């Protein structure tokens, strides 16, 4: 569940109050085949995602506050304070560093290089049940767009993960591709302005 602006002043229901904080930094890659998506853990999640940072990210598995009578805004403000102090200040992962490690991990996994980020597509908070952790988790999700990759055709033929392509001409976006569910956060692409931003950063492939 994406936390939208109209939810900020509402109280967080006690039955979904998070006991864990997590984050993800995504890399969106749009080509003439579509938006590139990956099934990173088919036996565990079986969900299609844009590429996302798995290492060096912010996570707190024992999040707990005495006062659980909080609005979504108050909960997010607590997250922001912890994230800023523990991740950005103490560990040095400011936005530029987060983008750097995202690219480094991406290049290493797929054996490509020269990847550059053009702009930030989106950032938001999401509250959902984490099946792998058996607990509700509050996520901070950032999405960046790659506009250049040396070896784009190698990427599009990689065998590391199951790979699918999302046709951005479809709106609203589908729930699944070839029987595999799309991650909930891709609903942000129902915003035509965000789709236009992706299209303006299309990476051409070599036939």
């Amino acid at each position: 569940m994406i936390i939208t602006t109209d939810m900020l002043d509402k109280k967080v229901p006690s039955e979904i109050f998070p006991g864990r904080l997590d984050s993800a930094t995504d890399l969106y890659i749009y080509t003439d085949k579509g938006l590139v998506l990956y099934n990173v853990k088919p036996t565990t999640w079986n969900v299609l995602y844009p590429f996302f940072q798995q290492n060096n990210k912010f996570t707190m598995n024992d999040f707990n506050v005495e006062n659980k009578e909080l609005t979504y805004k108050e909960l997010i403000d607590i997250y922001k304070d912890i994230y800023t102090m523990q991740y950005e200040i103490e560990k040095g992962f400011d936005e530029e560093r987060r983008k750097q490690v995202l690219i480094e991990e991406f290049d290493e996994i797929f054996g490509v290089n020269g990847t550059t980020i053009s702009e930030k597509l989106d950032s938001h908070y999401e509250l959902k049940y984490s099946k792998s952790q058996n607990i509700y988790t509050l996520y901070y999700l950032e999405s960046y767009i790659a506009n250049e990759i040396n070896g784009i055709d190698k990427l599009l033929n990689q065998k590391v993960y199951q790979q699918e392509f999302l046709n951005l001409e479809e709106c609203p976006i589908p729930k699944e591709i070839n029987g595999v569910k799309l991650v909930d956060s891709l609903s942000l692409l129902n915003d035509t302005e965000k789709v236009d931003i992706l299209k303006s950063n299309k990476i051409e492939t070599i036939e």
Side-chain angles (χ1 to χ4, degrees), residues 2 13 27 35 52 62-63 82 85 94 99 106 130 135 137 143 146 151 155 161 173 183 188 196-197 206:
I2 294 174
L27 189 62
L35 179 67
F52 63 93
D62 57 350
F63 175 67
I82 295 171
M85 180 57 65
D94 59 11
K99 289 160 61 177
F106 173 80
S130 175
I135 198 169
T137 301
S143 302
L155 172 71
Y161 301 125
I173 65 168
V183 66
L188 66 89
D196 288 342
I197 293 171
I206 300 171

Side-chain angles (χ1 to χ4, degrees), residues 2 12 19 24 27 36 38 60 71 74 106 112-113 136 145 149 154 160 166 176 184 201-203:
I2 294 174
V12 182
L27 189 62
V36 189
Y38 306 94
M60 176 181 281
T71 63
E74 290 168 335
F106 173 80
V112 295
N113 60 71
Y136 275 92
I145 305 172
I149 300 170
K154 179 179 180 181
V160 181
L166 174 61
E176 59 181 46
D184 294 342
N201 286 279
K202 183 168 75 171
I203 300 175

Side-chain angles (χ1 to χ4, degrees), residues 154-202:
K154 179 179 180 181
L155 172 71
L156 299 184
N157 292 288
Q158 58 80 31
K159 304 299 181 186
V160 181
Y161 301 125
Q162 175 191 347
Q163 183 171 260
E164 302 287 353
F165 301 94
L166 174 61
N167 179 5
L168 294 184
E169 300 304 325
E170 296 185 34
C171 189
I173 65 168
K175 299 289 186 181
E176 59 181 46
I177 299 176
N178 292 330
V180 182
K181 181 183 174 183
L182 272 61
V183 66
D184 294 342
S185 59
L186 281 172
S187 62
L188 66 89
L189 294 180
N190 288 323
D191 183 334
T192 56
E193 289 186 11
K194 287 185 168 56
V195 172
D196 288 342
I197 293 171
L198 276 174
K199 289 180 176 179
S200 70
N201 286 279
K202 183 168 75 171

Side-chain angles (χ1 to χ4, degrees), residues 65-105:
V65 291
E66 289 187 12
N67 177 22
K68 292 182 171 58
E69 299 293 316
L70 300 176
T71 63
Y72 285 99
K73 181 182 183 305
E74 290 168 335
L75 178 61
I76 288 172
D77 286 343
I78 291 172
Y79 185 115
K80 286 179 179 178
D81 288 344
I82 295 171
Y83 184 92
T84 300
M85 180 57 65
Q86 295 190 12
Y87 192 55
E88 294 186 323
I89 297 176
E90 293 181 5
K91 294 188 176 181
F93 283 92
D94 59 11
E95 184 167 330
E96 289 306 308
R97 177 62 177 147
R98 296 196 297 274
K99 289 160 61 177
Q100 179 185 351
V101 297
L102 176 65
I103 289 173
E104 289 172 353
E105 186 174 327

